Amino acid sequence: MGRIKIQLPEKFIFTTTLTVRIDDLNYGRHLANDRVLALAHEARIQFLKSLQYTELNLAGTGLIMSDAAISFKAEAFQGNELIIEIGVTDLSKFGFDLIYKITDKEAKHEVAIVKTGMICSNYEKKKMTLLPTEAKEKLNG
């Protein structure tokens, strides 16, 4: 069985720390697979806020996640602090990819690598839009 391989970016331009909460756990009492994507979403919101954007207003356009991939590396447990680093790759005229490297702060091992494809969208017209030049420049770090 082939494994998903997510290429890490040359540089990460944003870092945040999130704590694994009790409701992030599954029946195995470790971080649930669906919650990894939720943590990436929270980190993305913080990243966009640091650039003075939101998912509904990226320099005048919205963002929609077009795809996601997760490569699990290790378990995380309730109370673990996770360092989430974000890098931007594959900037195109309609969007970009975000790569999230999630590391256990204390143990220093990778927990997961996540990729989300983000497409610019006009929510009202339900159509793709161009990635604004202003946003492209900020995303380039």
Side-chain angles (χ1 to χ4, degrees):
M1 176 174 97
R3 299 232 353 157
I4 291 173
K5 291 183 174 51
I6 300 170
Q7 185 72 35
L8 293 177
E10 290 181 21
K11 64 180 178 176
F12 291 97
I13 62 173
F14 178 80
T15 302
T16 191
T17 302
L18 298 174
T19 302
V20 178
R21 304 169 312 163
I22 194 71
D23 62 340
D24 292 327
L25 305 183
N26 63 15
Y27 57 86
R29 290 178 275 178
H30 58 249
L31 180 61
N33 56 17
D34 62 321
R35 301 305 298 161
V36 172
L37 196 55
L39 291 170
H41 188 191
E42 175 62 32
R44 180 172 65 249
I45 296 300
Q46 291 182 21
F47 168 59
L48 292 171
K49 185 176 181 181
S50 78
L51 300 176
Q52 300 175 347
Y53 296 135
T54 69
E55 288 183 326
L56 297 175
N57 186 4
L58 182 85
T61 191
L63 284 174
I64 293 178
M65 185 177 9
S66 62
D67 58 42
I70 303 171
S71 178
F72 298 99
K73 305 292 185 178
E75 294 175 308
F77 301 94
Q78 191 271 323
N80 288 155
E81 288 187 315
L82 303 178
I83 299 169
I84 304 178
E85 299 171 272
I86 297 178
V88 180
T89 63
D90 295 329
L91 284 152
S92 72
K93 66 182 194 174
F94 293 110
F96 51 92
D97 287 343
L98 293 177
I99 309 297
Y100 314 73
K101 180 179 167 188
I102 303 174
T103 305
D104 183 296
K105 185 176 182 178
E106 186 177 324
K108 309 250 188 280
H109 61 257
E110 287 183 0
V111 172
I113 304 296
V114 180
K115 174 210 158 293
T116 58
M118 306 304 295
I119 299 294
C120 295
S121 176
N122 180 317
Y123 277 90
E124 292 174 10
K125 294 181 181 178
K126 298 187 185 292
K127 293 181 80 171
M128 279 194 319
T129 60
L130 295 173
L131 174 61
T133 302
E134 170 195 318
K136 190 172 191 173
E137 290 171 0
K138 284 186 177 184
L139 291 167
N140 264 327

